[in-house]
Amino acid sequence: MRPDLVRILDGNMFVLSDGSGDVEASPTNPCGFFDFDTRFLSLWLLTVNGERLSPLAIDDAHYFEVRFFLVPGTPTHYVDAKASVIRERSITAGTFEERLTIINHDADPVDYTVRVDADSDFAPVTAVEQRREPVGRMDRRVERRCLRLGYQREKFRRETVISVADPAEVDEHGLTFRFRLDQRESWTTVIRIETAVLRPDGQDVRKRLHRRHRRSRSELRHDLDRWLAKAPRLSCNWETMTATYRRSLVDLAGLRYSPLTLPDEAMPAAGLPWGATITGRDSILTSLQVLPVAPELAVATLRMLGIDQGAVLDDFRDEEPGKILREFRYGEPAAFEEKPVSPYYGSADVTPLYVILLDEYERWTGDVALTRELEDEARAALRWIDEYGDIMGDGYVWYQRRNELTGLENQCWKESADGVSYRDGRLPGLPRATCELQGYAYDAKRRGARLARECWGDPAYADRLEREAADLKRRFNEDFWIEDGGYYALALDPDGGQVDALSSNIGHLLWSGIVDESRAAAVVGHLLGPRLFTGWGVRTLAAGEGRYNPLGYHVGTVWPFDNALIAWGLCRYGFRREAGAIAEGIIDAARYFDGRLPEAFAGFDREQTGYPVSYPTANSPQAMATGAPILLLRTLLGLEPYGNHLVVEPALPARFGRIELLDIPGRWGRIDAIATSR
C-alpha cells in the first residue's frame, strides 16, 4: 500500500485517502471507504469554489479519526490564502463521518460553493488493484438530503448511504452547499456515510445478528485510553524503541476485530488494506507475539478459529477435518463462490500454529480452563498433522491444493507463486514439504504433549506425542540438512529431493527447537551473514539465489514478523548477541516509518541505500508487523514463563541503554522487567 495514504480504521472498517482527504481510486491507488470486504466509496472529492484543496498539516493522533488542515488551490509564500478548510474525519458507531469547516479570511464577504463528488464501484477488497468490470448493475437514488448508491447482483445487494442534516443540493453524483461568509466567519456541516449489506427484503443482514456495540467517538477515545493504560509501561533510553512500542499498541487497538459469531470478543485483523478480515496465520502469530501486553487477543483468536475449524472434506475450500482456516471473507466473490474464501483453508502452517498458541497462552496466563474448553479442537488439529498433513505417508507435513482452479499453490507463509524455489530458480513440483512446517509440527507435538499431561490428564497421549516429536526431529535433521551448504533445505520436492535455496525459513526452525544443537551455529552464521542479513533484518531469500529480488514479495524483502520469530529462535539457542543485532536493525528501520513497521520492506543492503526502502504494496498497519516490536522486546529482556514465575534474562545491545517494562501481566499477576545494556 502506498505509504503516503492517510488511514483511519476500526477493526475491518477503514478509510484510505490522499493527504488532502480525497479519494480517487484506481488500480494503482487503492484508496476508498471499506467495510465488510467491500469498497463502499471509490470517489470522495472535495472542492471549494471549483478548486481542489492542498494540505497544510495532518493531525492523526488517534487510529479512528484524523484532521486535515487545507487551503484552496496551491499554497504559495507570496499570496496569503483567503480561506482555510478543516476536514475532520472519523469512523464512529459504525459510520464514516466527515465534518467540514470553511473559514473566510478575506476582508470582504465571500460566496462559497462547496462540492463533494461521490461514487462507488463496490469492488471486493481483494480486487481493488484490478480493472474489474462489475457483474451486477449500479443504481443511484436521490432522497431529501440523502444520496443512495447501490449495487445489485441477483440477491446480492450493497448500498452506500450519504446523508447531511444541513440544507444541500443533492444530485446523483454528490452534494453541493452554497452560502455566504462575512470576514472571519465560519461555516460547518457534517456528512455521514453508512453502509448497507442488504437481504432481498431490504433488511441489513447484520442487524439480525447480535453484533458488538458500535462505539461513539468519545467511547473510542475512552477505550483507547483504557487500552494504553492497561498495557505494560515502557521506558527506554533509545527513544525509537519507546515510540515504536507506543505506535504498535495504538495500531493493535485499531486492528481489533469482533467477528459476527463472537461479538463480545476481539481478535486481530490482519491489516490494511488487503487483510482487514478474519485470518488464521496473521491472527495466531500476532496474538502469540503480543502475549506480554494483550493476552486476551489470543482467547478470541483461538475461539473463533476453533468455531470454524474444518469438519469435512471440501475440495473447493481446501477444507479437511481438523484444519484451521486461512481466511474468511464476506464480499461478492465469497457470495457467488468465485473464490473459496467463506471460509478458505488453504494453509498448511496454521493448524500446528493453533496448538502452539494455545499452549503458549496457557504457559503465560495459567488459564487452564481455556485449554480444556478447546481440548477437542487442539486434538483435532494434532490429528490433522498426521492424517491429512502427511500426504506422502512419510511423517512430514506436505501441502497440495485440492482446488486446482482457484486454490493457492503455495500453502506455507510464503504464498507467492515463486515463494519456494531451488537455488537455481526452478520451481519444485507438488506436493511440497517446507522446512518450517516440520518445525511447527514438532513444536505442536511437544506442546500438545505438555497440554495432555498437565491440563487434560492424558499422560499416555503425552508420551505418544513426545515419541512422535523425537522421531520427527531425528528424521528431519537427516533429510533436510544440506551438508555442503551447512544449512537446512527450504523444502523437499515430491521425489524427496532437497529444494536447496537458502532462505529465512531456517530461522523459524530455531524458534521451533527442531534444530540439532550441533548445527545451530552454522544456521546462525547464515542468518547473520551478508547473503541474508541486510543490516536492517534477515531477507526472505538469500542474495545470489536464482529468484532473489530485493523487491520481491517473498524472494528478498525483509518482513518484521519473520525477523521477530528468528530473533526469538536465536535467543532459544543461546545466541543472544545475534538476536540483539536483529532487534536493533528492525527497530532502527521503524524510525524511517514513523514507528509503524510495514508488512515488509525492500531487502537492499543497508550500506547501499542508507535507509530501508519501502515495499510499494505492503499492508500498513499490518498485524504481524505491529506485533513484531513487542516480541523483540520480549526477546531482548529474555522473558520466559516458568511455572508461576516470569524469568527475566536480558541481553541488550548498547544502543538500547536501559529498558524498563513495568506491569507485565501473566499468571504471576503483574511484574516488572528492568535491564541495562553492557
Side-chain angles (χ1 to χ4, degrees):
M1 186 176 70
R2 284 174 38 187
D4 59 332
L5 290 180
V6 179
R7 66 218 78 187
I8 57 172
L9 70 152
D10 184 19
N12 71 332
M13 178 183 282
F14 59 97
V15 181
L16 302 175
S17 71
D18 66 17
S20 66
D22 285 337
V23 169
E24 290 183 281
S26 70
T28 58
N29 184 27
C31 53
F33 170 38
F34 297 84
D35 188 22
F36 226 60
D37 292 321
T38 299
R39 179 160 58 193
F40 282 88
L41 278 179
S42 54
L43 178 67
W44 190 248
L45 180 64
L46 174 64
T47 57
V48 175
N49 290 343
E51 288 189 293
R52 298 286 293 270
L53 304 176
S54 298
L56 299 178
I58 300 173
D59 176 15
D60 60 348
H62 301 116
Y63 65 83
F64 52 86
E65 61 183 351
V66 64
R67 288 194 298 173
F68 303 88
F69 298 91
L70 313 165
V71 292
T74 303
T76 170
H77 294 293
Y78 305 106
V79 179
D80 292 335
K82 300 299 185 183
S84 59
V85 179
I86 302 175
R87 195 174 193 176
E88 299 174 86
R89 173 175 295 170
S90 64
I91 291 180
T92 57
T95 301
F96 168 23
E97 184 176 283
E98 185 145 292
R99 177 184 296 270
L100 302 177
T101 300
I102 314 295
I103 306 170
N104 179 23
H105 303 299
D106 202 303
D108 301 313
V110 177
D111 292 320
Y112 288 95
T113 299
V114 175
R115 173 69 181 177
V116 179
D117 291 305
D119 200 1
S120 176
D121 59 3
F122 294 97
V125 68
T126 53
V128 297
E129 287 188 302
Q130 307 164 13
R131 296 192 181 276
R132 183 182 187 272
E133 292 297 323
V135 179
R137 62 176 179 83
M138 305 287 189
D139 58 80
R140 304 165 185 270
R141 189 165 75 251
V142 176
E143 300 175 353
R144 184 175 182 273
R145 297 181 183 174
C146 177
L147 171 61
R148 288 182 177 269
L149 307 174
Y151 177 74
Q152 184 89 35
R153 178 181 174 187
E154 299 177 19
K155 295 181 179 180
F156 179 90
R157 182 162 181 83
R158 300 288 186 265
E159 284 189 1
T160 305
V161 184
I162 305 166
S163 61
V164 62
D166 298 313
E169 300 169 20
V170 182
D171 59 58
E172 291 187 347
H173 301 285
L175 302 86
T176 303
F177 305 89
R178 303 182 196 276
F179 51 89
R180 170 172 285 202
L181 293 179
D182 291 331
Q183 182 184 15
R184 296 189 181 88
E185 192 177 9
S186 65
W187 168 91
T188 297
T189 194
V190 176
I191 306 173
R192 293 169 59 86
I193 306 96
E194 297 177 284
T195 66
V197 180
L198 300 178
R199 303 185 315 170
D201 63 2
Q203 294 294 313
D204 194 311
V205 297
R206 297 168 295 183
K207 285 184 168 56
R208 297 180 62 87
L209 298 168
H210 174 55
R211 302 189 73 195
R212 184 183 182 186
H213 168 63
R214 291 287 199 174
R215 297 164 294 177
S216 67
R217 190 183 308 189
S218 62
E219 288 175 318
L220 284 168
R221 286 174 180 161
H222 178 68
D223 175 75
L224 179 58
D225 290 342
R226 189 173 56 216
W227 167 268
L228 294 174
K230 186 177 67 171
R233 300 185 305 281
L234 175 66
S235 173
C236 180
N237 292 143
W238 188 19
E239 176 58 30
T240 298
M241 179 74 251
T242 307
T244 302
Y245 175 74
R246 180 178 172 81
R247 179 78 259 179
S248 287
L249 290 178
V250 172
D251 284 344
L252 196 60
L255 289 166
R256 289 173 298 169
Y257 170 53
S258 295
L260 295 177
T261 47
L262 280 177
D264 298 321
E265 298 183 23
M267 63 189 290
L272 302 191
W274 325 120
T277 189
I278 299 171
T279 60
R281 177 186 306 114
D282 298 70
S283 296
I284 286 175
L285 289 176
T286 303
S287 298
L288 185 71
Q289 291 182 104
V290 305
L291 279 172
V293 302
E296 68 273 15
L297 294 180
V299 178
T301 296
L302 290 163
R303 282 185 173 144
M304 182 65 234
L305 297 179
I307 289 171
D308 282 324
Q309 188 172 30
V312 299
L313 290 175
D314 183 337
D315 289 352
F316 177 67
R317 302 183 192 284
D318 277 330
E319 180 180 359
E320 294 162 343
K323 199 173 188 182
I324 302 297
L325 63 80
R326 176 189 181 272
E327 64 179 328
F328 196 119
R329 294 188 180 273
Y330 299 99
E332 186 179 356
F336 291 92
E337 295 194 339
E338 296 168 1
K339 293 183 178 180
V341 291
S342 61
Y344 180 55
Y345 293 85
S347 55
D349 54 340
V350 180
T351 305
L353 287 172
Y354 182 87
V355 180
I356 292 169
L357 176 60
L358 180 62
D359 175 70
E360 188 69 11
Y361 168 78
E362 194 282 330
R363 290 182 67 232
W364 196 273
T365 66
D367 186 357
V368 176
L370 186 71
T371 69
R372 291 171 179 164
E373 174 189 331
L374 299 175
E375 178 181 349
D376 289 345
E377 289 83 350
R379 286 177 180 262
L382 289 163
R383 282 196 301 273
W384 177 88
I385 292 173
D386 297 328
E387 295 180 12
Y388 295 98
D390 186 7
I391 295 174
M392 304 293 278
D394 59 2
Y396 292 133
V397 176
W398 300 74
Y399 61 80
Q400 181 169 15
R401 61 184 178 182
R402 291 177 174 271
N403 182 340
E404 292 290 344
L405 185 62
T406 56
L408 284 173
E409 185 168 283
N410 269 329
Q411 299 192 357
C412 55
W413 85 261
K414 295 179 178 176
E415 294 176 333
S416 301
D418 60 354
V420 177
S421 65
Y422 294 97
R423 183 184 300 174
D424 61 10
R426 289 177 298 119
L427 299 179
L430 292 165
R432 298 167 184 166
T434 57
C435 64
E436 83 283 357
L437 291 180
Q438 318 319 315
Y440 300 163
Y442 168 79
D443 199 17
K445 286 176 180 287
R446 293 279 299 175
R447 291 173 179 269
R450 192 194 75 84
L451 291 171
R453 182 171 286 112
E454 298 184 14
C455 302
W456 303 337
D458 192 345
Y461 185 44
D463 290 344
R464 192 191 100 196
L465 289 172
E466 286 173 342
R467 289 194 302 271
E468 291 171 355
D471 180 63
L472 173 58
K473 182 174 183 177
R474 177 188 58 78
R475 290 183 294 102
F476 174 83
N477 278 276
E478 293 174 357
D479 296 340
F480 278 77
W481 183 250
I482 299 175
E483 192 65 46
D484 62 351
Y487 62 91
Y488 292 93
L490 172 55
L492 297 183
D493 63 24
D495 299 321
Q498 294 176 337
V499 180
D500 55 355
L502 175 61
S503 71
S504 67
N505 300 51
I506 60 175
H508 291 229
L509 301 177
L510 295 172
W511 167 51
S512 72
I514 201 171
V515 173
D516 274 348
E517 292 282 350
S518 61
R519 291 171 172 168
V523 171
V524 174
H526 284 293
L527 289 169
L528 275 296
R531 293 186 62 205
L532 279 174
F533 191 63
T534 69
W536 303 110
V538 178
R539 298 181 178 99
T540 45
L541 187 66
E545 299 299 275
R547 288 188 176 266
Y548 168 69
N549 177 355
L551 287 170
Y553 196 47
H554 291 127
V555 291
T557 51
V558 174
W559 288 59
F561 101 90
D562 189 26
N563 278 261
L565 291 178
I566 291 170
W568 199 12
L570 290 167
C571 184
R572 175 174 185 159
Y573 277 79
F575 294 88
R576 307 296 299 277
R577 182 182 63 82
E578 292 80 359
I582 289 177
E584 183 175 349
I586 292 293
I587 298 303
D588 199 23
R591 178 165 55 98
Y592 295 86
F593 299 104
D594 295 324
R596 174 183 278 156
L597 285 165
E599 175 184 30
F601 54 88
F604 295 111
D605 282 328
R606 183 170 186 154
E607 293 181 356
Q608 180 181 2
T609 62
Y611 61 90
V613 176
S614 297
Y615 180 76
T617 59
N619 282 289
S620 181
Q622 194 247 10
M624 293 193 298
T626 296
I630 297 169
L631 180 56
L632 290 171
L633 188 59
R634 173 180 175 176
T635 299
L636 290 168
L637 292 171
L639 305 180
E640 283 300 321
Y642 285 96
N644 290 322
H645 303 282
L646 181 65
V647 174
V648 182
E649 294 181 351
L652 306 183
R655 195 170 189 180
F656 289 87
R658 179 180 174 88
I659 290 180
E660 296 181 2
L661 189 63
L662 309 180
D663 289 335
I664 305 167
R667 64 196 303 161
W668 43 83
R670 294 232 171 207
I671 199 171
D672 300 340
I674 300 172
T676 303
S677 59
R678 297 177 180 176

